[in-house]
């Protein structure tokens, strides 16, 4: 169940540095939940380096995560699940973009 703060950030489309700082200060479960659904590329890059595997996993699942970040996670993350998830997201994104044209 998402609390109001998570709901607020999950719907955000315009992010300020204060919003990003607030998310980075949340507990890791909240960061992990948001990492799966937010569209803020800068924050996704930050969260991709989180010490908690669950947070990086959320970033790896998120189609809004920048390509380079997904690529790094797919090649360099210490957790095999994060690596595989980032690879799957990259494949899915390339499949989607190739079929839009």
């Amino acid at each position: 169940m998402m609390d109001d703060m998570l709901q607020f950030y999950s719907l955000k489309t315009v992010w300020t540095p204060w919003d990003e700082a607030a998310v980075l200060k949340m507990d890791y479960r909240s960061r992990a939940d948001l990492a799966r659904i937010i569209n803020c590329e800068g924050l996704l890059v930050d969260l991709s380096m989180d010490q908690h595997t669950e947070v990086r996993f959320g970033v790896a699942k998120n189609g809004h995560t920048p390509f380079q970040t997904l690529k790094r996670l797919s090649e360099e993350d210490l957790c095999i699940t994060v690596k595989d998830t980032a690879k799957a997201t990259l494949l899915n994104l390339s499949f989607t973009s190739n079929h839009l044209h």
Side-chain angles (χ1 to χ4, degrees), residues 7-47:
Q7 183 72 28
F8 172 74
Y9 284 115
S10 72
L11 299 171
K12 236 176 159 27
T13 53
V14 178
W15 290 77
T16 68
W18 294 278
D19 294 325
E20 293 185 37
V23 170
L24 292 173
K25 285 186 196 126
M26 290 178 179
D27 66 85
Y28 81 91
R29 284 190 186 87
S30 298
R31 294 196 309 275
D33 286 345
L34 284 171
R36 283 194 290 275
I37 54 177
I38 59 171
N39 65 357
C40 178
E41 291 191 352
L43 187 51
L44 284 163
V45 172
D46 288 345
L47 292 172

Side-chain angles (χ1 to χ4, degrees), residues 53-87:
T53 307
E54 294 93 332
V55 178
R56 297 193 314 276
F57 177 73
V59 174
K61 277 182 87 86
N62 190 327
H64 293 290
T65 301
F67 174 81
Q68 282 304 127
T69 303
L70 285 170
K71 192 163 164 33
R72 177 175 48 77
L73 287 172
S74 74
E75 294 169 357
E76 299 172 18
D77 201 87
L78 297 175
C79 173
I80 190 72
T81 308
V82 172
K83 273 185 171 174
D84 289 348
T85 303
K87 282 179 193 153

